[in-house]
Amino acid sequence: MGVLNVCCYPTKLALHAADHAYVECGGGGYGWGCWGGKNGGTTVRSAHGSTKRADAIGEPDERAGVTHYLINGVCHQSANRILMPALITANGVRGHLLSVSIFGLFGRPSAGFGMFKAPLYTRAGVSGDLDVCLYQGIHTSSQSRAVAERGFIDESVRLAREIYPELVLDTDSNLSASQQTTREPWSSSEAERAAKFQMESFKLLVRHRAIVTGKRFARAQYHEMMKIRERFELSREAIEREFVESGQSGWYRFVRNFDELTREFQESLAAILPGQDYEALLDISSDHRMVLSDPDIVESIYGPESRPRGPGSRSP
């Protein structure tokens, strides 16, 4: 069986932003950019998994069905989907747990609008390996972590199936996830499902981190964390609705607002959690704040002269 590596490199914002994550098969002969570049980074961890299945999940655009950057997820969520055959995630990449706390492990299957759907295609029926990926080397230190993460991965897929059964498909489809994206009127029931999914995903993350770090969060802490997460969700819905109403021209304002919400989310958590508890939850120093948006990706996709990022590109 082939090997899947999760790799990363710093963005141009360096210490002020999460690292960009991407996936490559063992030996680095083939990779998936996950919205950005796919070479020149450091290997964080690796595990055995079907590279053909990873390629099917990744889709030709290498974004794995994460259809709208900063709405359905960022590079970490695309990477986690592609890594599914290996039962590992991008954990260990700087900022990964912050992105999971905001988007969930595999991204938001939908925002509060029908137009922001991002189906999770697990491609469970695909197996085998790409010829270019027939390489057996593996970072042995990754194997024990893969065991610890399997439950979190399985529960995240189960949660998506439970709340969004029509958006999680286990079989191949003739249409890609991006082709499945539809534009529908704002639906209050869909908005409620989207918010419920995000809150349940955050609860799952908190439970998982308590298990793997051996840190039990106090009941009062837990309730305060949920209140903070709910406030973030309500604020996010507001800026997303503003973006929909403003159209393409509103992207830069949306990104600025989203970055500010992300910082406020961290500030609020740091205000109620002692330093060790904060770091146990997000794997970030309690006195440091970061954003999830990659300026190069934002510019290349949403800028006035945006264009697709080519294989291996690290800048538009």
Side-chain angles (χ1 to χ4, degrees):
M1 183 178 290
V3 171
L4 294 172
N5 304 324
V6 58
C7 308
C8 69
Y9 60 72
T11 70
K12 68 166 58 173
L13 293 180
L15 295 179
H16 298 290
D19 284 354
H20 171 66
Y22 64 96
V23 182
E24 65 180 19
C25 60
Y30 191 84
W32 300 266
C34 304
W35 287 94
K38 57 181 179 180
N39 57 32
T42 301
T43 299
V44 176
R45 58 206 306 201
S46 61
H48 291 292
S50 168
T51 53
K52 279 189 176 179
R53 183 182 173 198
D55 198 43
I57 294 172
E59 299 193 331
D61 64 6
E62 302 177 6
R63 297 171 184 174
V66 177
T67 54
H68 296 81
Y69 188 71
L70 290 182
I71 291 181
N72 300 112
V74 292
C75 58
H76 303 154
Q77 282 64 46
S78 293
N80 287 340
R81 291 184 176 200
I82 295 169
L83 289 164
M84 197 181 302
L87 295 174
I88 60 173
T89 71
N91 197 26
V93 173
R94 186 171 177 275
H96 172 254
L97 291 178
L98 175 62
S99 78
V100 172
S101 71
I102 288 175
F103 294 110
L105 191 65
F106 299 119
R108 297 165 78 199
S110 173
F113 319 86
M115 64 182 292
F116 292 134
K117 289 179 179 175
L120 171 60
Y121 290 84
T122 63
R123 308 299 190 192
V126 180
S127 61
D129 291 292
L130 303 171
D131 289 343
V132 71
C133 293
L134 293 177
Y135 172 81
Q136 297 300 316
I138 188 171
H139 292 259
T140 56
S141 61
S142 297
Q143 294 178 347
S144 60
R145 285 191 271 178
V147 172
E149 286 192 302
R150 179 166 188 166
F152 187 38
I153 293 170
D154 290 344
E155 275 294 288
S156 296
V157 175
R158 182 202 60 77
L159 178 62
R161 285 199 188 103
E162 179 180 298
I163 299 182
Y164 284 95
E166 77 279 16
L167 294 182
V168 185
L169 307 182
D170 289 333
T171 57
D172 289 325
S173 170
N174 292 326
L175 295 179
S176 69
S178 59
Q179 289 172 312
Q180 292 282 350
T181 302
T182 58
R183 291 177 176 267
E184 300 171 0
W186 175 278
S187 165
S188 59
S189 62
E190 187 164 29
E192 290 172 0
R193 279 200 304 165
K196 177 184 177 183
F197 179 81
Q198 288 304 113
M199 291 304 299
E200 292 300 318
S201 293
F202 184 61
K203 291 176 184 178
L204 181 61
L205 172 65
V206 174
R207 291 197 301 269
H208 174 70
R209 293 299 295 170
I211 292 171
V212 299
T213 64
K215 172 62 187 176
R216 292 187 62 185
F217 297 101
R219 180 174 298 181
Q221 287 178 326
Y222 180 84
H223 288 307
E224 286 301 314
M225 283 191 284
M226 294 307 124
K227 290 179 182 178
I228 290 168
R229 185 60 186 79
E230 187 172 20
R231 286 199 301 270
F232 175 89
E233 197 63 27
L234 291 172
S235 298
R236 168 161 60 185
E237 289 176 4
I239 66 171
E240 287 177 345
R241 188 159 194 168
E242 179 184 353
F243 161 63
V244 169
E245 293 170 351
S246 64
Q248 181 69 19
S249 62
W251 264 113
Y252 285 120
R253 178 176 174 80
F254 169 75
V255 172
R256 288 196 300 270
N257 288 339
F258 183 83
D259 286 347
E260 184 58 32
L261 283 181
T262 303
R263 294 188 188 96
E264 290 176 0
F265 176 67
Q266 295 166 84
E267 290 284 357
S268 298
L269 287 176
I272 66 161
L273 295 175
Q276 289 184 340
D277 294 3
Y278 184 93
E279 293 178 32
L281 177 64
L282 298 180
D283 195 26
I284 304 172
S285 171
S286 61
D287 59 1
H288 187 73
R289 307 291 175 261
M290 69 173 64
V291 298
L292 296 173
S293 62
D294 182 330
D296 282 343
I297 296 177
V298 169
E299 179 67 25
S300 67
I301 296 170
Y302 303 124
E305 299 180 359
S306 61
R307 60 184 183 273
R309 297 172 67 85
S313 172
R314 290 191 57 174
S315 62

